[in-house]
Amino acid sequence: MMLAVAIPSGLLSAAAYGAATAVQHSAVQHSVVHTGAQRADARGLLRLVRDPRWLLSVAGDGVGFALQLLALLTGPVVLVQPLLVLAVPASLVAGHALGGPRPRRGDYLACLAIIGGLGVFYLILGDPGVGRPPGARPIALATIFVLVVGGGVCGLVTRGSPTLRAAAYGAVAGGWFGLVGVLLDATSSTWAAGGAEALLHPDGWVPLAGLVVTGAVAVILTQVSFQVGPLRASYPANESAAPVVAVVLGAVLLREAVPASAPALLAYLGCLVAIVAGTIRLATAGGGVSPQGAI
């Protein structure tokens, strides 16, 4: 492990994702307001492709992804993926820079709650050690399971309220992004160990295929969650589910060391509550992750 590279790369990745999210949600809400759309549809998503702001946000996501890849190449999933929660405070700064309201004291306290929850998590986690890429079969089964469960959750809430659907879609997309982190780590580890030829083996191409498919549907569902309901529902759910799924799968699939005693699990829950509360505050305030104020 090269944590001197992994941690800064993870922090910069979170900053890039946070800025991209602020721009992305601005573009989505602008499209909804100016077209009169009240629900997500294919035409709404296609309109975004012609929006320069949305394209700029995609470029920001690309930068974040490259930095995330570098972080995962040099550090464990259970350490790198939770760092991406810091995209939420980063979006506060980006939202203000894009013309949103000036952050208030409550916004700064929310940022402290997120950072504090993350800090306590790392104190409990300690050194997770170096994981081992699993074989193709466990990766395939985990990918299918997570995708099917997420799809089932989305199906159950199709007739729900906008807030419920936004929260459910955001949580599912976040869970899929957590899986993406694990698949990215498995793919990069296989490539680093055996080069490009290793990706032709099932242990290489299976996680790569899962990465492409899961990443694509997660991005699409994130856009849908922005369209169907308020950001205060979709964004906290997305940002909270991603590290939870990544840590669980990192421990189970990659065999990275994660303390799992009863006190540790209770402490993890407290950290999650602090992070979710801080994220909800920032999304509800409208100054950070919603520069248009359309929440």
Side-chain angles (χ1 to χ4, degrees), residues 45-127:
L45 295 177
L46 289 175
R47 278 192 295 268
L48 290 174
V49 177
R50 300 193 295 270
D51 189 327
R53 289 176 299 175
W54 189 82
L55 294 175
L56 179 63
S57 75
V58 171
D61 280 334
V63 172
F65 181 81
L67 290 165
Q68 180 186 4
L69 175 59
L70 177 60
L72 288 171
L73 279 169
T74 52
V77 168
V78 298
L79 188 150
V80 170
Q81 284 299 115
L83 281 175
L84 301 185
V85 170
L86 296 177
V88 182
S91 66
L92 177 71
V93 177
H96 178 54
L98 289 169
R102 182 183 298 277
R104 300 178 179 179
R105 181 174 64 177
D107 298 327
Y108 292 120
L109 292 175
C111 290
L112 286 176
I114 294 171
I115 295 170
L118 194 60
V120 172
F121 168 77
Y122 285 130
L123 285 175
I124 301 169
L125 177 66
D127 182 5

Side-chain angles (χ1 to χ4, degrees), residues 22-234:
V23 177
Q24 194 172 93
H25 187 256
S26 171
V28 171
Q29 289 299 320
H30 182 272
S31 175
V32 171
V33 170
H34 285 76
T35 61
Q38 297 298 319
R39 60 185 178 84
D41 55 33
R43 287 178 299 176
L45 295 177
L46 289 175
R47 278 192 295 268
L48 290 174
V49 177
R50 300 193 295 270
D51 189 327
R53 289 176 299 175
W54 189 82
L55 294 175
L56 179 63
S57 75
V58 171
D61 280 334
V63 172
F65 181 81
L67 290 165
Q68 180 186 4
L69 175 59
L70 177 60
L72 288 171
L73 279 169
T74 52
V77 168
V78 298
L79 188 150
V80 170
Q81 284 299 115
L83 281 175
L84 301 185
V85 170
L86 296 177
V88 182
S91 66
L92 177 71
V93 177
H96 178 54
L98 289 169
R102 182 183 298 277
R104 300 178 179 179
R105 181 174 64 177
D107 298 327
Y108 292 120
L109 292 175
C111 290
L112 286 176
I114 294 171
I115 295 170
L118 194 60
V120 172
F121 168 77
Y122 285 130
L123 285 175
I124 301 169
L125 177 66
D127 182 5
V130 179
R132 297 195 305 250
R137 181 180 175 83
I139 283 287
L141 291 176
T143 301
I144 293 171
F145 176 78
V146 173
L147 288 175
V148 169
V149 170
V153 171
C154 291
L156 289 175
V157 301
T158 51
R159 297 184 181 275
S161 67
T163 299
L164 175 62
R165 284 186 292 145
Y169 294 168
V172 171
W176 287 347
F177 278 126
L179 172 61
V180 164
V182 174
L183 295 173
L184 182 59
D185 182 87
T187 302
S188 61
S189 296
T190 300
W191 175 78
E197 291 184 1
L199 298 180
L200 300 177
H201 188 274
D203 288 348
W205 68 258
V206 168
L208 178 59
L211 170 64
V212 172
V213 172
T214 306
V217 294
V219 168
I220 292 172
L221 188 58
T222 297
Q223 305 309 309
V224 172
S225 74
F226 286 168
Q227 283 192 303
V228 301
L231 191 66
R232 66 176 179 270
S234 61

